[in-house]
Coordinates of all heavy atoms in Angstrom, one line a residue:
K1457 N 81.2 94.0 116.9 CA 80.2 93.7 117.8 C 79.3 92.6 117.2 O 79.0 92.8 115.9 CB 79.2 95.0 118.1 CG 79.9 96.1 118.9 CD 79.0 97.3 118.8 CE 79.8 98.4 118.2 NZ 79.0 99.6 117.9
I1458 N 79.0 91.6 117.9 CA 78.2 90.6 117.3 C 76.7 91.1 117.3 O 76.1 91.5 118.3 CB 78.2 89.3 118.1 CG1 79.7 88.8 117.9 CG2 77.2 88.3 117.7 CD1 80.1 87.6 118.8
L1459 N 76.1 91.0 116.2 CA 74.7 91.4 116.0 C 73.7 90.3 116.0 O 72.5 90.5 116.4 CB 74.6 92.2 114.7 CG 75.5 93.5 114.5 CD1 75.4 94.0 113.2 CD2 75.2 94.5 115.6
E1460 N 74.1 89.2 115.5 CA 73.1 88.0 115.5 C 73.9 86.8 115.4 O 74.9 86.6 114.7 CB 72.3 88.2 114.1 CG 71.3 87.1 113.9 CD 70.5 87.3 112.7 OE1 70.8 88.1 111.9 OE2 69.5 86.4 112.4
I1461 N 73.4 85.8 116.1 CA 73.9 84.5 116.0 C 72.8 83.5 116.0 O 71.8 83.4 116.8 CB 74.8 84.1 117.3 CG1 76.0 85.0 117.4 CG2 75.1 82.6 117.3 CD1 76.9 84.7 118.7
I1462 N 72.9 82.6 115.0 CA 71.9 81.4 114.9 C 72.9 80.2 114.9 O 73.5 80.1 113.9 CB 71.0 81.5 113.7 CG1 70.2 82.8 113.6 CG2 70.1 80.2 113.6 CD1 69.4 83.0 112.4
P1463 N 73.1 79.5 116.0 CA 74.0 78.4 116.1 C 74.0 77.5 114.9 O 72.9 77.1 114.4 CB 73.7 77.6 117.3 CG 73.1 78.7 118.2 CD 72.4 79.5 117.2
Y1464 N 75.1 77.2 114.3 CA 75.3 76.3 113.1 C 74.7 76.8 111.8 O 74.6 76.1 110.9 CB 74.8 74.9 113.4 CG 75.4 74.3 114.7 CD1 74.6 74.2 115.8 CD2 76.7 73.9 114.7 CE1 75.2 73.8 117.0 CE2 77.2 73.4 115.9 CZ 76.4 73.3 117.0 OH 77.1 72.8 118.2
K1465 N 74.3 78.1 111.8 CA 73.5 78.6 110.7 C 74.1 80.0 110.2 O 74.3 80.2 109.1 CB 72.1 78.7 111.0 CG 71.1 78.7 109.8 CD 70.9 77.4 109.3 CE 69.8 77.6 108.2 NZ 70.2 77.0 107.0
K1466 N 74.2 81.0 111.2 CA 74.5 82.3 110.8 C 75.2 83.1 111.9 O 74.9 83.0 113.2 CB 73.1 83.0 110.5 CG 73.2 84.4 110.0 CD 71.8 85.0 109.6 CE 71.9 86.3 109.0 NZ 70.6 86.8 108.7
L1467 N 76.1 84.0 111.5 CA 76.8 84.9 112.4 C 76.9 86.3 111.6 O 77.3 86.2 110.5 CB 78.2 84.4 112.7 CG 79.2 85.4 113.4 CD1 78.7 85.6 114.8 CD2 80.6 84.9 113.3
V1468 N 76.5 87.3 112.3 CA 76.5 88.5 111.7 C 77.3 89.5 112.8 O 77.0 89.5 114.0 CB 75.2 89.2 111.5 CG1 75.3 90.6 110.9 CG2 74.3 88.3 110.6
H1469 N 78.3 90.4 112.3 CA 79.0 91.2 113.3 C 79.4 92.5 112.5 O 79.4 92.5 111.3 CB 80.3 90.5 113.7 CG 81.4 90.2 112.7 ND1 82.3 91.1 112.2 CD2 81.5 89.0 112.0 CE1 83.0 90.5 111.3 NE2 82.6 89.2 111.2
T1470 N 79.6 93.5 113.2 CA 80.1 94.7 112.6 C 81.6 94.5 112.2 O 82.2 93.7 112.7 CB 80.1 95.9 113.6 OG1 80.7 95.7 114.7 CG2 78.5 96.1 113.9
F1471 N 82.1 95.4 111.4 CA 83.4 95.4 110.9 C 84.0 96.8 110.8 O 83.3 97.7 110.2 CB 83.4 94.7 109.5 CG 84.8 94.5 108.9 CD1 85.5 93.4 109.0 CD2 85.3 95.7 108.2 CE1 86.8 93.2 108.5 CE2 86.6 95.4 107.6 CZ 87.2 94.2 107.7
M1472 N 85.1 96.9 111.3 CA 85.8 98.3 111.2 C 87.4 98.0 111.3 O 87.7 97.4 112.3 CB 85.3 99.3 112.3 CG 85.9 100.7 112.1 SD 85.0 101.7 113.2 CE 85.6 103.3 112.5
F1473 N 88.2 98.5 110.5 CA 89.6 98.5 110.7 C 90.0 99.4 111.9 O 89.7 100.5 111.9 CB 90.3 98.9 109.4 CG 90.3 97.9 108.4 CD1 89.6 98.1 107.2 CD2 91.1 96.7 108.4 CE1 89.6 97.1 106.1 CE2 91.2 95.8 107.5 CZ 90.4 95.9 106.4
E1474 N 90.8 98.7 112.8 CA 91.2 99.5 113.9 C 92.8 99.3 114.1 O 93.2 99.2 115.2 CB 90.5 99.3 115.2 CG 89.0 99.7 115.1 CD 88.3 99.4 116.3 OE1 89.0 99.1 117.4 OE2 87.1 99.6 116.4
T1475 N 93.5 99.3 112.9 CA 94.9 98.8 113.0 C 95.6 99.8 112.1 O 95.1 100.4 111.1 CB 95.1 97.4 112.6 OG1 96.1 97.4 111.6 CG2 93.9 96.8 112.0
P1476 N 96.9 100.1 112.5 CA 97.7 100.9 111.7 C 98.0 100.3 110.3 O 98.4 101.0 109.4 CB 99.0 101.1 112.5 CG 99.0 100.0 113.5 CD 97.6 99.6 113.7
H1477 N 97.8 99.1 110.1 CA 98.0 98.4 108.8 C 96.9 98.7 107.8 O 97.3 98.4 106.6 CB 98.2 96.8 109.0 CG 99.2 96.5 110.0 ND1 100.5 96.8 109.8 CD2 99.0 95.9 111.2 CE1 101.2 96.3 110.9 NE2 100.3 95.8 111.7
A1478 N 95.9 99.3 108.2 CA 94.9 99.6 107.1 C 94.7 101.2 107.1 O 93.6 101.7 107.3 CB 93.5 99.0 107.6
K1479 N 95.8 101.8 106.9 CA 95.9 103.2 106.8 C 94.9 103.9 105.9 O 94.6 103.4 104.9 CB 97.3 103.7 106.4 CG 97.6 105.2 106.6 CD 99.1 105.3 106.5 CE 99.5 106.8 106.8 NZ 99.5 107.2 108.2
G1480 N 94.1 104.9 106.4 CA 93.1 105.6 105.7 C 91.7 105.0 106.1 O 90.7 105.8 105.8
S1481 N 91.6 103.8 106.5 CA 90.3 103.2 106.8 C 89.7 103.5 108.2 O 88.6 103.1 108.4 CB 90.3 101.8 106.4 OG 91.3 101.1 107.1
E1482 N 90.6 104.0 109.1 CA 90.2 104.1 110.4 C 89.0 105.2 110.6 O 88.3 105.3 111.5 CB 91.3 104.5 111.3 CG 92.1 105.8 111.0 CD 93.1 105.8 109.9 OE1 93.4 104.7 109.4 OE2 93.6 106.8 109.6
V1483 N 88.8 106.0 109.6 CA 87.8 107.1 109.6 C 86.4 106.6 108.9 O 85.5 107.2 108.9 CB 88.3 108.4 109.0 CG1 89.4 109.0 109.9 CG2 88.7 108.3 107.6
D1484 N 86.6 105.4 108.2 CA 85.4 104.9 107.5 C 84.4 104.4 108.5 O 84.7 103.9 109.6 CB 85.8 103.7 106.6 CG 86.8 104.2 105.5 OD1 86.8 105.4 105.2 OD2 87.4 103.3 104.9
P1485 N 83.0 104.6 108.2 CA 82.0 104.0 109.1 C 82.1 102.4 109.1 O 82.6 101.8 108.2 CB 80.7 104.5 108.4 CG 81.1 104.8 107.1 CD 82.6 105.1 106.9
E1486 N 81.5 102.0 110.3 CA 81.3 100.6 110.4 C 80.4 99.9 109.3 O 79.6 100.5 108.6 CB 80.6 100.3 111.7 CG 81.4 100.2 113.0 CD 80.5 99.7 114.1 OE1 79.3 99.5 114.1 OE2 81.1 99.5 115.1
T1487 N 80.9 98.7 108.9 CA 80.1 98.0 108.0 C 79.7 96.6 108.7 O 79.8 96.6 109.8 CB 80.9 97.6 106.7 OG1 82.1 97.1 107.0 CG2 81.2 98.9 105.9
Q1488 N 79.0 95.7 107.9 CA 78.6 94.5 108.6 C 79.0 93.4 107.7 O 78.8 93.3 106.5 CB 77.1 94.7 108.6 CG 76.3 93.7 109.3 CD 74.9 94.0 109.5 OE1 74.5 95.0 110.0 NE2 74.0 93.2 108.9
V1489 N 79.3 92.2 108.4 CA 79.6 91.0 107.7 C 78.8 89.9 108.3 O 78.6 89.7 109.5 CB 81.2 90.7 107.9 CG1 81.6 89.3 107.3 CG2 82.1 91.7 107.5
S1490 N 78.3 89.1 107.3 CA 77.4 88.0 107.7 C 78.0 86.7 107.1 O 78.5 86.8 105.9 CB 76.0 88.2 107.4 OG 75.8 88.0 106.0
Y1491 N 78.0 85.6 107.8 CA 78.4 84.3 107.4 C 77.2 83.4 107.6 O 76.6 83.3 108.6 CB 79.6 83.8 108.2 CG 80.7 84.7 108.5 CD1 80.7 85.6 109.5 CD2 81.8 84.6 107.7 CE1 81.8 86.5 109.7 CE2 82.8 85.4 107.8 CZ 82.8 86.4 108.9 OH 83.9 87.2 109.1
E1492 N 76.7 82.8 106.5 CA 75.6 81.9 106.5 C 76.0 80.5 106.0 O 76.6 80.4 105.0 CB 74.5 82.5 105.7 CG 74.0 83.8 106.4 CD 72.7 84.3 105.6 OE1 71.7 83.5 105.6 OE2 72.8 85.4 105.0
L1493 N 75.6 79.5 106.8 CA 75.8 78.0 106.3 C 74.6 77.5 105.8 O 73.5 77.6 106.5 CB 76.3 77.2 107.5 CG 77.7 77.6 108.2 CD1 78.1 76.8 109.3 CD2 78.9 77.6 107.0
D1494 N 74.7 76.8 104.7 CA 73.5 76.1 104.2 C 74.0 74.7 103.7 O 75.2 74.5 103.3 CB 72.9 76.9 102.9 CG 72.2 78.1 103.3 OD1 71.3 78.0 104.2 OD2 72.5 79.2 102.8
N1495 N 73.0 73.9 103.6 CA 73.3 72.5 103.1 C 72.8 72.3 101.7 O 71.7 72.6 101.4 CB 72.5 71.5 104.1 CG 72.9 70.0 103.7 OD1 73.0 69.7 102.6 ND2 73.0 69.2 104.7
N1496 N 73.6 71.8 100.9 CA 73.2 71.6 99.5 C 73.6 70.2 99.0 O 74.8 70.0 98.8 CB 74.0 72.7 98.6 CG 73.6 72.5 97.1 OD1 72.7 71.9 96.7 ND2 74.2 73.3 96.2
N1497 N 72.7 69.3 99.1 CA 72.9 67.9 98.8 C 74.1 67.3 99.5 O 74.9 66.7 99.1 CB 73.1 67.7 97.3 CG 72.0 68.1 96.4 OD1 70.8 67.8 96.8 ND2 72.3 68.9 95.3
G1498 N 74.0 67.6 100.9 CA 75.1 67.0 101.8 C 76.4 67.7 101.8 O 77.3 67.4 102.5
N1499 N 76.5 68.8 101.1 CA 77.7 69.8 101.1 C 77.3 70.9 101.8 O 76.2 71.5 101.7 CB 78.1 70.1 99.7 CG 78.5 69.0 98.9 OD1 79.4 68.1 99.4 ND2 78.0 68.7 97.8
T1500 N 78.2 71.5 102.6 CA 78.0 72.7 103.3 C 78.4 73.9 102.4 O 79.5 73.9 101.8 CB 78.9 72.8 104.6 OG1 78.4 71.7 105.5 CG2 78.6 74.1 105.4
V1501 N 77.6 74.9 102.3 CA 77.8 76.1 101.5 C 78.0 77.2 102.5 O 77.0 77.5 103.3 CB 76.8 76.3 100.5 CG1 77.0 77.6 99.7 CG2 76.7 75.1 99.6
L1502 N 79.1 78.0 102.4 CA 79.3 79.2 103.1 C 79.1 80.4 102.3 O 79.8 80.6 101.2 CB 80.7 79.2 103.7 CG 81.1 80.6 104.3 CD1 80.4 80.8 105.6 CD2 82.6 80.5 104.6
T1503 N 78.2 81.3 102.7 CA 78.0 82.6 102.0 C 78.4 83.7 102.9 O 77.9 83.8 104.1 CB 76.5 82.7 101.6 OG1 76.1 81.7 100.8 CG2 76.3 84.1 100.8
V1504 N 79.4 84.5 102.4 CA 79.8 85.6 103.2 C 79.5 86.9 102.5 O 79.6 87.1 101.3 CB 81.5 85.6 103.3 CG1 82.0 86.8 103.9 CG2 82.0 84.3 103.9
T1505 N 78.8 87.7 103.3 CA 78.3 89.0 102.7 C 78.8 90.1 103.5 O 78.7 90.2 104.7 CB 76.8 89.0 102.8 OG1 76.2 87.9 102.0 CG2 76.1 90.3 102.0
H1506 N 79.5 91.1 102.8 CA 80.0 92.3 103.5 C 79.3 93.4 103.0 O 79.3 93.7 101.8 CB 81.5 92.5 103.2 CG 82.3 93.3 104.1 ND1 83.5 93.3 104.4 CD2 81.7 94.4 104.8 CE1 83.9 94.2 105.2 NE2 82.8 95.0 105.5
S1507 N 78.4 94.1 103.9 CA 77.5 95.1 103.4 C 77.6 96.3 104.3 O 78.4 96.4 105.2 CB 76.1 94.6 103.5 OG 75.7 94.2 104.8
G1508 N 76.8 97.3 103.8 CA 76.8 98.6 104.6 C 77.7 99.7 104.0 O 77.9 100.8 104.6
F1509 N 78.2 99.6 102.8 CA 79.1 100.6 102.2 C 78.2 101.7 101.8 O 77.4 101.4 100.8 CB 80.1 99.9 101.2 CG 81.1 99.0 101.8 CD1 80.9 97.7 101.7 CD2 82.2 99.5 102.3 CE1 81.8 96.8 102.2 CE2 83.2 98.7 102.9 CZ 82.9 97.3 102.8
R1510 N 78.5 102.9 102.1 CA 77.7 104.0 101.5 C 78.5 104.6 100.3 O 77.9 105.3 99.5 CB 77.6 105.2 102.6 CG 76.8 104.6 103.7 CD 76.5 105.8 104.7 NE 76.4 105.2 106.0 CZ 77.0 105.6 107.2 NH1 77.7 106.6 107.1 NH2 76.8 105.0 108.2
E1511 N 79.7 104.3 100.2 CA 80.6 104.8 99.1 C 81.8 103.9 98.9 O 82.1 103.0 99.8 CB 81.1 106.1 99.4 CG 81.9 106.3 100.6 CD 82.3 107.8 101.1 OE1 82.0 108.6 100.3 OE2 82.9 107.9 102.1
V1512 N 82.5 104.1 97.9 CA 83.8 103.3 97.7 C 84.9 104.1 98.6 O 85.1 105.2 98.2 CB 84.2 103.2 96.3 CG1 85.6 102.6 96.1 CG2 83.3 102.5 95.4
N1513 N 85.1 103.6 99.7 CA 86.2 104.2 100.7 C 87.4 103.3 100.7 O 87.5 102.2 100.1 CB 85.5 104.5 101.9 CG 84.8 103.4 102.6 OD1 85.2 102.2 102.5 ND2 83.9 103.6 103.4
Q1514 N 88.3 103.6 101.7 CA 89.5 102.8 101.8 C 89.2 101.4 102.4 O 89.7 100.4 102.0 CB 90.5 103.5 102.8 CG 91.9 102.8 102.8 CD 92.5 102.8 101.4 OE1 92.5 103.8 100.8 NE2 92.9 101.7 101.1
T1515 N 88.1 101.2 103.3 CA 87.8 99.9 103.7 C 87.3 99.1 102.6 O 87.6 97.9 102.5 CB 86.7 100.0 104.9 OG1 87.2 100.7 106.0 CG2 86.1 98.7 105.3
F1516 N 86.4 99.6 101.8 CA 85.9 98.9 100.6 C 87.1 98.4 99.7 O 87.2 97.2 99.3 CB 84.9 99.8 99.8 CG 84.4 99.1 98.6 CD1 83.3 98.3 98.7 CD2 85.1 99.2 97.3 CE1 82.8 97.7 97.7 CE2 84.5 98.5 96.3 CZ 83.3 97.7 96.4
I1517 N 88.1 99.3 99.5 CA 89.2 98.9 98.7 C 90.0 97.8 99.4 O 90.4 96.8 98.7 CB 90.2 100.2 98.4 CG1 89.3 101.1 97.5 CG2 91.4 99.7 97.8 CD1 89.9 102.5 97.4
N1518 N 90.2 97.8 100.7 CA 90.9 96.9 101.4 C 90.3 95.5 101.4 O 91.0 94.5 101.1 CB 91.2 97.3 102.8 CG 92.2 98.5 103.0 OD1 92.8 99.0 102.1 ND2 92.2 99.1 104.1
V1519 N 89.0 95.5 101.7 CA 88.3 94.2 101.7 C 88.0 93.6 100.3 O 88.0 92.4 100.3 CB 87.0 94.3 102.5 CG1 87.2 94.7 104.0 CG2 85.9 95.0 101.8
T1520 N 87.9 94.4 99.4 CA 87.8 93.8 98.0 C 89.0 92.9 97.6 O 88.8 91.9 97.0 CB 87.6 94.9 97.0 OG1 86.5 95.7 97.3 CG2 87.4 94.5 95.5
G1521 N 90.2 93.4 98.0 CA 91.3 92.6 97.9 C 91.5 91.5 98.9 O 92.1 90.4 98.6
G1522 N 90.9 91.6 100.1 CA 91.3 90.8 101.2 C 90.3 89.5 101.3 O 90.8 88.5 101.5
W1523 N 89.1 89.7 101.0 CA 88.1 88.6 101.1 C 88.5 87.3 100.3 O 88.5 86.3 100.7 CB 86.7 89.1 100.9 CG 86.1 89.7 102.2 CD1 85.7 90.9 102.3 CD2 85.9 89.0 103.4 NE1 85.1 91.1 103.6 CE2 85.3 89.9 104.3 CE3 86.3 87.8 103.9 CZ2 84.9 89.6 105.5 CZ3 85.9 87.3 105.3 CH2 85.2 88.4 106.1
P1524 N 88.8 87.6 99.0 CA 89.1 86.4 98.2 C 90.3 85.6 98.7 O 90.3 84.4 98.8 CB 89.5 87.0 96.8 CG 88.7 88.4 96.8 CD 88.7 88.8 98.2
M1525 N 91.2 86.4 99.2 CA 92.4 85.6 99.8 C 92.1 84.9 101.1 O 92.4 83.7 101.2 CB 93.6 86.7 100.1 CG 94.8 86.0 100.7 SD 96.2 87.2 101.0 CE 95.3 88.2 102.3
I1526 N 91.3 85.5 101.9 CA 90.9 84.9 103.2 C 90.1 83.6 103.0 O 90.3 82.6 103.5 CB 90.1 85.9 104.1 CG1 91.1 86.9 104.6 CG2 89.4 85.2 105.3 CD1 90.4 88.2 105.2
L1527 N 89.1 83.8 102.0 CA 88.2 82.6 101.7 C 88.9 81.5 101.1 O 88.6 80.3 101.3 CB 87.0 83.1 100.8 CG 86.1 84.1 101.6 CD1 85.1 84.7 100.7 CD2 85.5 83.3 102.8
Y1528 N 89.9 81.9 100.2 CA 90.7 80.8 99.5 C 91.5 80.0 100.6 O 91.5 78.7 100.6 CB 91.7 81.4 98.5 CG 92.8 80.5 98.0 CD1 92.4 79.6 96.9 CD2 94.0 80.4 98.5 CE1 93.2 78.6 96.5 CE2 94.9 79.4 98.0 CZ 94.6 78.5 97.1 OH 95.4 77.7 96.6
H1529 N 92.0 80.6 101.5 CA 92.8 80.0 102.6 C 92.1 79.2 103.5 O 92.4 78.1 103.9 CB 93.8 81.0 103.2 CG 94.9 81.4 102.5 ND1 95.9 80.7 102.1 CD2 95.1 82.6 102.0 CE1 96.8 81.3 101.4 NE2 96.4 82.6 101.2
M1530 N 90.9 79.7 103.8 CA 89.9 79.0 104.7 C 89.4 77.7 104.0 O 89.4 76.7 104.7 CB 88.6 80.0 104.9 CG 87.6 79.3 105.9 SD 86.2 80.3 106.0 CE 86.8 81.6 106.9
K1531 N 89.1 77.8 102.7 CA 88.6 76.6 101.9 C 89.7 75.6 102.0 O 89.4 74.4 102.1 CB 88.2 77.0 100.5 CG 87.8 75.9 99.7 CD 87.5 76.4 98.3 CE 87.0 75.3 97.3 NZ 88.0 74.4 96.8
S1532 N 91.0 76.0 101.7 CA 92.0 75.1 101.7 C 92.2 74.4 103.0 O 92.5 73.2 103.0 CB 93.4 75.8 101.3 OG 93.3 76.2 100.0
M1533 N 92.2 75.1 104.0 CA 92.4 74.7 105.5 C 91.3 73.6 105.7 O 91.5 72.6 106.3 CB 92.3 75.7 106.5 CG 92.5 75.3 107.9 SD 92.7 76.8 109.0 CE 91.0 77.3 108.9
L1534 N 90.0 74.0 105.4 CA 88.8 73.1 105.7 C 88.9 71.8 104.8 O 88.6 70.7 105.4 CB 87.5 73.8 105.5 CG 87.3 75.0 106.4 CD1 86.0 75.8 106.0 CD2 87.0 74.3 107.9
E1535 N 89.4 71.9 103.6 CA 89.5 70.6 102.8 C 90.6 69.7 103.4 O 90.4 68.6 103.4 CB 89.8 71.1 101.3 CG 88.7 71.7 100.6 CD 88.9 72.2 99.2 OE1 90.1 72.5 99.0 OE2 88.1 72.3 98.5
K1536 N 91.7 70.3 103.9 CA 92.7 69.5 104.5 C 92.2 68.9 105.8 O 92.4 67.6 106.0 CB 94.0 70.3 104.8 CG 94.8 70.6 103.6 CD 96.0 71.6 104.0 CE 96.7 71.9 102.7 NZ 97.8 72.9 103.1
A1537 N 91.4 69.6 106.6 CA 90.9 69.0 107.9 C 89.8 67.8 107.5 O 89.8 66.9 108.3 CB 90.3 70.2 108.6
A1538 N 89.2 68.0 106.4 CA 88.2 67.0 106.0 C 88.7 65.7 105.5 O 88.1 64.7 105.5 CB 87.1 67.7 105.1
S1539 N 89.9 65.7 105.0 CA 90.6 64.6 104.3 C 91.3 63.7 105.2 O 91.5 64.0 106.4 CB 91.5 65.0 103.2 OG 92.5 65.7 103.6

């Protein structure tokens, strides 16, 4: 569910695994992901925050390994598009 949108600035949504590929996390409570864009001397800075964890559960374990990979590939894709 989308919780907040500020065009060109911020997106906040709920997060929950609902796929058989994330076994064990389907019972975990929803968490929240926010993406914020800022300008730093003409460069765009993306800050991703995944919050709302009450404990270290299967979702936490899955995203701890997943976010670095996702962000790395996103950065590579955006750099190629900009060149």
Side-chain angles (χ1 to χ4, degrees):
K1457 297 172 238 169
I1458 295 175
L1459 303 175
E1460 181 180 4
I1461 295 177
I1462 302 171
Y1464 308 104
K1465 198 83 176 127
K1466 184 176 186 180
L1467 169 67
V1468 181
H1469 65 83
T1470 59
F1471 182 94
M1472 185 172 194
F1473 282 110
E1474 294 182 5
T1475 127
H1477 304 294
K1479 194 163 181 79
S1481 55
E1482 63 276 355
V1483 296
D1484 294 343
E1486 272 186 353
T1487 53
Q1488 189 171 297
V1489 179
S1490 71
Y1491 308 85
E1492 295 186 57
L1493 296 174
D1494 288 307
N1495 184 323
N1496 183 6
N1497 296 323
N1499 295 308
T1500 302
V1501 177
L1502 169 65
T1503 302
V1504 178
T1505 305
H1506 196 151
S1507 61
F1509 293 98
R1510 296 184 210 135
E1511 62 186 355
V1512 174
N1513 55 26
Q1514 191 60 49
T1515 297
F1516 181 86
I1517 293 166
N1518 291 349
V1519 301
T1520 299
W1523 277 120
M1525 180 182 63
I1526 291 167
L1527 295 172
Y1528 171 79
H1529 289 293
M1530 181 187 292
K1531 180 180 182 285
S1532 296
M1533 184 178 67
L1534 292 170
E1535 287 173 341
K1536 284 180 187 176
S1539 62

